[in-house]
Amino acid sequence: MFTTIYLGGVIMKKCVLPLFLTVLVVVLSACSSSSKSVYQQEEDGTVTTVTLAHKKDKLGSIETKIVYDYAYFGVDNKEHAEEMLKEFIPDEEDIKDSKVSIRYKEHELEIQSILDLSKENPEIGIVYLELDSGKGYYSFEGMETLLTASGFKKK
């Protein structure tokens, strides 16, 4: 889509839509300025990845993904793992204020949870209580300190 703009008798053809979209993207990205930080720990056949979405010090969400090799539980396949772990792994709907998925794969168990901290008074569990900054939000810096003290490395 081209339009003609007259400047001092000189005809300039500009592509209006791409220019508008470029300006819009720059303005919106300057306004949002939210970030994601990823931390990972590998230990005894388990890989835990924690992704923190935050705007400055205010946490917006915590996404946790834990991948267990079946050997960690002393089993060698999906069927044995499902049978052995069914009483220990909670049902997805039993975990409040988190979206949880539990997947038994060919050689590993994957548990993923996404906790949305933008809700009012989310039920997030005792581990995260110390992250309340006293300012009415959960602290990114507090979570980062907890993760690095627990052996997680920033990716």
Side-chain angles (χ1 to χ4, degrees), residues 92-100 115 119 122-125:
E92 295 176 11
E93 55 272 354
D94 289 344
I95 302 172
K96 297 182 186 230
D97 289 337
S98 279
K99 293 179 184 174
V100 178
L115 176 62
K119 293 180 177 181
E123 292 186 33
I124 59 174

Side-chain angles (χ1 to χ4, degrees), residues 25-41:
V25 167
V26 169
V27 168
L28 289 177
S29 62
C31 292
S32 69
S33 71
S34 60
S35 302
K36 284 191 176 187
S37 299
V38 179
Y39 300 84
Q40 191 170 61
Q41 181 182 55

Side-chain angles (χ1 to χ4, degrees), residues 129-141:
L129 289 179
E130 66 187 77
L131 301 177
D132 189 339
S133 64
K135 299 176 185 174
Y137 61 83
Y138 290 90
S139 170
F140 163 71
E141 290 176 5

Side-chain angles (χ1 to χ4, degrees), residues 94-111:
D94 289 344
I95 302 172
K96 297 182 186 230
D97 289 337
S98 279
K99 293 179 184 174
V100 178
S101 66
I102 300 167
R103 292 184 203 95
Y104 290 90
K105 296 187 171 185
E106 190 64 33
H107 300 286
E108 61 196 21
L109 170 65
E110 180 182 289
I111 302 173

